[in-house]
Amino acid sequence: MPTEPISLTEWSDEALVGRVSDHHRAAFGVLYDRYAHIVFAMAVHILGISEAEEAVQEVFVKLWLRADKFAADRGTFRSWFTTLARNQMYDLGKRRAVKEKRFRQVELIDELIMQVADAGQDLDHLTWRRQMSQEMTAALQTLPPEQRIVILLAYFGGYTQAGIAQQLDCPLGTVKKRLRLGLQKLRLEMIRYRNDVTPSRAA
Amino acid sequence: MDCQEIEPQLEAFVLNALEPEEMAAVSAHLDGCERCRRLESEYGDMVSVLPTVLADASPWELPDSLRARTLARIADLEKANPSSTEKLSWWTWLRPSELALWRSTAAVLFVLLLVVAGWGWQNRTALAEERAKRVFLQSEFEKREVIFELVDSQDTQRVYVPAVDDGSNSYGKIYTRPDKTGIVFLGGNLPKPPQGYGYHIFLTNEDSRYLAGVLDVNDEGFGLILVDTHGYIPRYDEVDVALQPLNSTEPGKPILSWNAPDS
């Protein structure tokens, strides 16, 4: 006989956001605990520390008000929510004229990611979320720098492919190719990591 | 566009790196293509790990105090309107701007007037009533969000309350929602009540009658009232409106009346 999870902290993100759409504050609190540090990091590195706290609040207010817009059949909560957060950062960035600093901010993000030591190693003791993050970090570190930077410029900088071409002063076709190849490689790396690591986890 | 044209754009699509018209074309294709949607969802899920990568690499720590402040802000939103969702956000975010305030008021006026006009409004008095309603609605400025939500929704239930006297062109309209508290009552072509009198709106639900509110009207005979139902979803199968002394609790002879078809 199926049983209900004892605590909200054991619920999936998708189950929690369903409760948030009914204005369940405790479920909202659990999602905050899971995602606030992620949104905060985005805000600090995209908008700057002086704007970060306000940006986090704006994102979570949006979550509270738009939880009913989440459609589980169109993807995971994480994907939906991080897109919401990213769009909010872009909007705030436009308003607060941080556009000029964006390219440099993304370069700093790239440097930070490359500095993470031993990513992808000894994953067994980590939570699933940390494992995913470590796997992705390791996968990013294996990418050629020119492919990695276009992905980061698009994701964290909010640049279109044409904007990236302008920033890097290279042909649009080259940017498109780098971006496509980069994501395809990331996908393959993530699959490879999962295949490699899963048997040892099961052991 | 077919899958062969869309697939090479999916990577840029999940990164939001296409031009707006390209984004729209891919999005339209995804709506009807399960195969591409699956691949897009896989890519989307993958790139959604990027913020976690950044958070793990970042030296910055989330301030502990931010949690309490964020939850307090949510509590404030709830206090402002306990059951609203998307529409509240719209109004709330417009609030800081004077310009937006006027825009929001104009939107409420426009919607209300459309609703009223679309409901068999009599042409010969239309302009005069419209002017009067504008003036009156402006006085209801503070209640605009709640009124808007009650009268302008797919879930809004509207009831026309006709005059009891066949020769009268007075009318009432009542707006409620099955998922929200509160009632909007609107009266038109009602004679100005004498001093100390008002239009008492009585609702009956399963033989239980209660006074919902007292309506005043302007010189044009128009009035609107937002009734606070104190957290309860309003239900009724009969509406009676009587002109009687203020503070009356028992209904007098109604001048407007409506009964649910099966009651």
Side-chain angles (χ1 to χ4, degrees):
Chain A
M1 189 177 165
T3 55
E4 285 290 314
I6 298 166
S7 159
L8 280 174
T9 56
E10 296 172 37
W11 286 32
S12 69
D13 294 344
E14 287 73 21
L16 288 167
V17 73
R19 298 304 307 273
V20 173
S21 66
D22 295 331
H23 287 189
H24 194 288
R25 284 197 219 172
F28 176 84
V30 176
L31 284 176
Y32 177 92
D33 293 339
R34 284 183 193 171
Y35 285 94
H37 69 290
I38 295 170
V39 178
F40 182 70
M42 286 174 85
V44 169
H45 290 280
I46 294 173
L47 300 171
I49 185 63
S50 60
E51 313 283 357
E53 293 188 20
E54 178 63 22
V56 171
Q57 288 194 34
E58 291 291 332
V59 169
F60 278 92
V61 165
K62 269 203 168 171
L63 169 63
W64 178 257
L65 296 166
R66 291 192 178 176
D68 61 330
K69 307 290 182 217
F70 168 70
D73 59 336
R74 295 300 293 261
T76 60
F77 170 79
R78 189 186 63 222
S79 179
W80 176 80
F81 181 61
T82 51
T83 302
L84 181 150
R86 194 162 52 120
N87 291 340
Q88 182 71 13
M89 301 298 161
Y90 298 158
D91 287 348
L92 291 170
K94 277 179 208 158
R95 261 190 265 155
R96 292 168 191 180
V98 292
K99 216 171 169 179
E100 301 73 26
K101 295 190 293 182
R102 269 191 300 165
F103 188 83
R104 181 60 195 141
Q105 298 283 57
V106 176
E107 283 184 323
L108 291 172
I109 290 171
D110 188 31
E111 286 167 23
L112 273 177
I113 290 170
M114 290 309 290
Q115 284 167 10
V116 175
D118 296 330
Q121 303 299 310
D122 193 20
L123 295 171
D124 287 358
H125 70 285
L126 299 176
T127 63
W128 178 81
R129 279 166 210 280
R130 292 299 300 275
Q131 284 175 11
M132 285 287 290
S133 167
Q134 291 264 17
E135 287 171 10
M136 177 62 97
T137 305
L140 281 166
Q141 289 176 343
T142 65
L143 281 186
E146 66 274 14
Q147 290 177 9
R148 189 174 58 248
I149 195 69
V150 293
I151 291 170
L152 298 180
L153 281 169
Y155 193 87
F156 291 114
Y159 289 102
T160 62
Q161 293 178 119
I164 295 169
Q166 202 179 357
Q167 286 292 326
L168 298 178
D169 195 20
C170 67
L172 177 60
T174 305
V175 170
K176 286 184 178 181
K177 200 170 160 188
R178 287 177 184 171
L179 194 143
R180 189 152 190 245
L181 280 176
L183 271 200
Q184 286 174 350
K185 278 187 196 167
L186 274 187
R187 181 168 170 252
L188 289 176
E189 282 295 313
M190 295 295 282
I191 291 169
R192 191 178 67 78
Y193 269 110
R194 253 172 241 155
N195 291 341
D196 286 352
V197 176
T198 304
S200 69
R201 281 179 197 156
Chain B
M1 290 177 96
D2 60 22
C3 297
Q4 280 191 327
E5 292 171 281
I6 293 296
E7 264 192 35
Q9 300 188 67
L10 283 180
E11 293 85 359
F13 178 82
V14 298
L15 290 168
N16 206 19
L18 296 172
E19 297 303 319
E21 61 277 10
E22 295 171 318
M23 291 294 290
V26 175
S27 186
H29 177 84
L30 291 176
D31 282 341
C33 179
E34 176 65 31
R35 184 173 156 274
C36 288
R37 201 158 61 224
R38 217 176 305 126
L39 187 56
E40 180 262 339
S41 176
E42 191 184 335
Y43 271 129
D45 203 30
M46 186 179 79
V47 300
S48 71
V49 182
L50 287 171
T52 312
V53 168
L54 175 60
D56 289 348
S58 174
W60 291 97
E61 292 285 331
L62 175 74
D64 290 340
S65 63
L66 189 55
R67 189 181 200 277
R69 279 182 279 142
T70 306
L71 291 176
R73 199 158 156 192
I74 297 304
D76 285 346
L77 282 174
E78 280 249 280
K79 262 184 235 159
N81 193 337
S83 56
S84 73
T85 55
E86 186 60 16
K87 284 179 179 169
L88 174 62
S89 71
W90 193 64
W91 296 111
T92 303
W93 288 331
L94 288 176
R95 199 170 289 145
S97 152
E98 280 294 318
L99 176 65
L101 269 175
W102 283 107
R103 279 191 189 141
S104 65
T105 308
V108 173
L109 293 171
F110 182 65
V111 169
L112 272 172
L113 290 169
L114 278 183
V115 169
V116 171
W119 210 348
W121 206 9
Q122 295 197 11
N123 286 337
R124 68 188 167 81
T125 56
L127 282 173
E129 283 188 14
E130 183 178 351
R131 277 189 219 105
K133 284 165 193 169
R134 275 179 195 279
V135 171
F136 190 87
L137 284 169
Q138 277 170 351
S139 73
E140 297 293 309
F141 198 74
E142 292 301 318
K143 300 170 186 169
R144 66 198 184 282
E145 296 101 327
V146 183
I147 293 171
F148 186 86
E149 287 186 344
L150 285 170
V151 304
D152 179 48
S153 153
Q154 287 183 331
D155 298 320
T156 296
Q157 295 174 345
R158 306 169 180 86
V159 168
Y160 182 81
V161 187
V164 173
D165 180 351
D166 287 343
S168 168
N169 65 352
S170 301
Y171 64 88
K173 289 171 186 176
I174 187 163
Y175 302 81
T176 56
R177 280 179 59 170
D179 57 338
K180 290 203 181 296
T181 65
I183 298 169
V184 170
F185 187 91
L186 185 152
N189 296 330
L190 291 163
K192 185 78 179 161
Q195 186 73 29
Y197 280 68
Y199 289 98
H200 289 57
I201 304 157
F202 291 93
L203 302 182
T204 305
N205 182 40
E206 296 179 346
D207 297 321
S208 170
R209 177 178 283 142
Y210 62 98
L211 177 65
V214 179
L215 181 76
D216 193 11
V217 297
N218 61 9
D219 292 335
E220 303 287 342
F222 176 78
L224 181 148
I225 183 173
L226 172 65
V227 179
D228 181 359
T229 55
H230 304 288
Y232 290 99
I233 303 289
R235 297 184 205 291
Y236 56 89
D237 46 39
E238 186 179 335
V239 182
D240 294 297
V241 180
L243 179 61
Q244 54 194 92
L246 296 173
N247 303 320
S248 303
T249 52
E250 289 299 315
K253 183 176 178 293
I255 61 162
L256 306 176
S257 186
W258 172 86
N259 286 280
D262 57 347
S263 66

